[in-house]
Amino acid sequence: MKLEGFGLFVEDMAVMVRFYRDVLGFAIRESEDATNVYLEKDGTLFLLYRRSDFEAMIGRKFSYAAGLCGHFEIALSVADYAAVDEAYKKVTAAGGREVMPPATMPWGQRTCYIADPEGNLVEIGSFEKGV
Protein backbone atom coordinates (compact mmCIF):
# COMPACT_ATOMS: atom_id res chain seq x y z
CA MET A 1 0.00 0.00 0.00
CA LYS A 2 1.13 3.53 -0.78
CA LEU A 3 0.18 6.54 1.32
CA GLU A 4 -1.77 8.86 -0.92
CA GLY A 5 -3.02 11.35 1.61
CA PHE A 6 -5.02 11.85 4.77
CA GLY A 7 -8.16 13.65 5.79
CA LEU A 8 -10.12 15.48 8.44
CA PHE A 9 -13.82 15.22 9.12
CA VAL A 10 -14.99 18.81 9.50
CA GLU A 11 -18.03 20.66 10.77
CA ASP A 12 -17.64 23.93 8.84
CA MET A 13 -16.20 23.23 5.39
CA ALA A 14 -15.86 26.85 4.24
CA VAL A 15 -13.98 27.97 7.36
CA MET A 16 -11.63 24.99 7.24
CA VAL A 17 -10.94 25.34 3.50
CA ARG A 18 -10.10 29.03 3.95
CA PHE A 19 -7.74 28.26 6.84
CA TYR A 20 -5.80 25.51 5.09
CA ARG A 21 -5.80 27.26 1.70
CA ASP A 22 -5.35 30.92 2.64
CA VAL A 23 -3.40 30.70 5.90
CA LEU A 24 -1.29 27.54 5.51
CA GLY A 25 -0.92 27.61 1.72
CA PHE A 26 -2.52 24.29 0.75
CA ALA A 27 -3.58 24.15 -2.92
CA ILE A 28 -7.29 23.51 -3.46
CA ARG A 29 -8.41 21.05 -6.13
CA GLU A 30 -12.18 21.71 -6.17
CA SER A 31 -14.95 24.02 -4.98
CA GLU A 32 -15.13 24.65 -1.23
CA ASP A 33 -18.86 23.85 -1.20
CA ALA A 34 -18.32 20.22 -2.29
CA THR A 35 -19.11 17.29 0.01
CA ASN A 36 -15.43 16.50 0.18
CA VAL A 37 -12.69 18.92 -0.77
CA TYR A 38 -9.26 17.79 -1.84
CA LEU A 39 -6.38 20.05 -1.04
CA GLU A 40 -2.74 19.31 -1.68
CA LYS A 41 0.50 20.22 0.07
CA ASP A 42 3.89 19.18 -1.26
CA GLY A 43 2.45 16.29 -3.26
CA THR A 44 0.29 14.89 -0.44
CA LEU A 45 -3.49 14.88 -0.76
CA PHE A 46 -5.37 16.38 2.16
CA LEU A 47 -9.09 15.62 2.23
CA LEU A 48 -11.64 17.68 4.12
CA TYR A 49 -14.85 15.67 4.44
CA ARG A 50 -18.03 17.18 5.83
CA ARG A 51 -18.99 15.12 8.90
CA SER A 52 -22.72 15.08 8.18
CA ASP A 53 -22.18 13.93 4.59
CA PHE A 54 -19.82 11.13 5.62
CA GLU A 55 -22.25 9.92 8.29
CA ALA A 56 -25.13 9.94 5.77
CA MET A 57 -23.03 8.00 3.27
CA ILE A 58 -22.23 5.17 5.66
CA GLY A 59 -25.40 5.32 7.74
CA ARG A 60 -23.65 5.69 11.07
CA LYS A 61 -23.05 8.47 13.61
CA PHE A 62 -19.63 9.24 15.07
CA SER A 63 -18.44 11.20 18.07
CA TYR A 64 -15.94 13.99 17.62
CA ALA A 65 -13.54 15.70 19.98
CA ALA A 66 -14.48 19.23 21.00
CA GLY A 67 -12.04 22.01 21.83
CA LEU A 68 -8.35 21.31 21.28
CA CYS A 69 -8.02 17.88 19.69
CA GLY A 70 -4.96 15.95 20.76
CA HIS A 71 -5.53 12.82 18.68
CA PHE A 72 -2.93 13.73 16.04
CA GLU A 73 -1.00 16.62 14.56
CA ILE A 74 -0.25 17.93 11.12
CA ALA A 75 3.48 18.70 10.94
CA LEU A 76 4.83 21.41 8.64
CA SER A 77 8.48 22.31 8.28
CA VAL A 78 10.06 25.63 7.46
CA ALA A 79 13.59 26.63 6.46
CA ASP A 80 15.09 27.65 9.80
CA TYR A 81 14.50 28.80 13.38
CA ALA A 82 13.62 32.36 12.33
CA ALA A 83 11.02 31.05 9.90
CA VAL A 84 9.33 29.13 12.75
CA ASP A 85 8.89 32.39 14.66
CA GLU A 86 7.69 34.23 11.54
CA ALA A 87 5.21 31.47 10.63
CA TYR A 88 3.80 31.41 14.17
CA LYS A 89 3.18 35.17 14.11
CA LYS A 90 1.64 35.03 10.63
CA VAL A 91 -0.63 32.04 11.30
CA THR A 92 -1.87 33.26 14.68
CA ALA A 93 -2.51 36.75 13.26
CA ALA A 94 -4.58 35.10 10.51
CA GLY A 95 -6.78 33.11 12.88
CA GLY A 96 -4.75 30.12 14.03
CA ARG A 97 -5.27 29.52 17.75
CA GLU A 98 -2.18 29.79 19.90
CA VAL A 99 -1.28 26.50 21.58
CA MET A 100 2.50 26.67 22.20
CA PRO A 101 4.72 29.58 21.13
CA PRO A 102 8.03 28.85 19.40
CA ALA A 103 10.57 27.09 21.61
CA THR A 104 13.83 25.28 20.97
CA MET A 105 13.64 21.69 22.15
CA PRO A 106 16.51 19.72 23.75
CA TRP A 107 16.77 17.58 20.58
CA GLY A 108 17.60 20.66 18.50
CA GLN A 109 14.27 21.42 16.85
CA ARG A 110 12.61 24.81 17.11
CA THR A 111 8.88 24.20 17.06
CA CYS A 112 5.51 25.69 17.84
CA TYR A 113 1.90 24.56 17.86
CA ILE A 114 -1.27 26.22 16.70
CA ALA A 115 -4.78 24.85 16.30
CA ASP A 116 -6.96 25.14 13.23
CA PRO A 117 -10.49 26.58 13.59
CA GLU A 118 -11.87 23.21 14.74
CA GLY A 119 -9.10 22.51 17.26
CA ASN A 120 -6.81 20.16 15.29
CA LEU A 121 -3.12 20.61 16.14
CA VAL A 122 -0.66 21.93 13.58
CA GLU A 123 3.07 21.88 14.35
CA ILE A 124 5.48 24.21 12.56
CA GLY A 125 9.15 23.43 13.08
CA SER A 126 12.72 23.34 11.82
CA PHE A 127 16.00 21.69 12.75
CA GLU A 128 18.03 24.39 10.97
CA LYS A 129 19.43 27.26 13.03
CA GLY A 130 20.00 29.43 9.96
CA VAL A 131 22.38 32.35 9.86
Side-chain angles (χ1 to χ4, degrees), residues 66-78:
L68 285 178
C69 179
H71 293 286
F72 69 93
E73 71 172 56
I74 297 166
L76 302 173
S77 64
V78 293

Side-chain angles (χ1 to χ4, degrees), residues 15-16 29 33-34 38 52 61 112:
V15 167
M16 294 293 278
R29 297 180 58 172
D33 63 355
Y38 282 90
S52 58
K61 287 283 191 189
C112 64

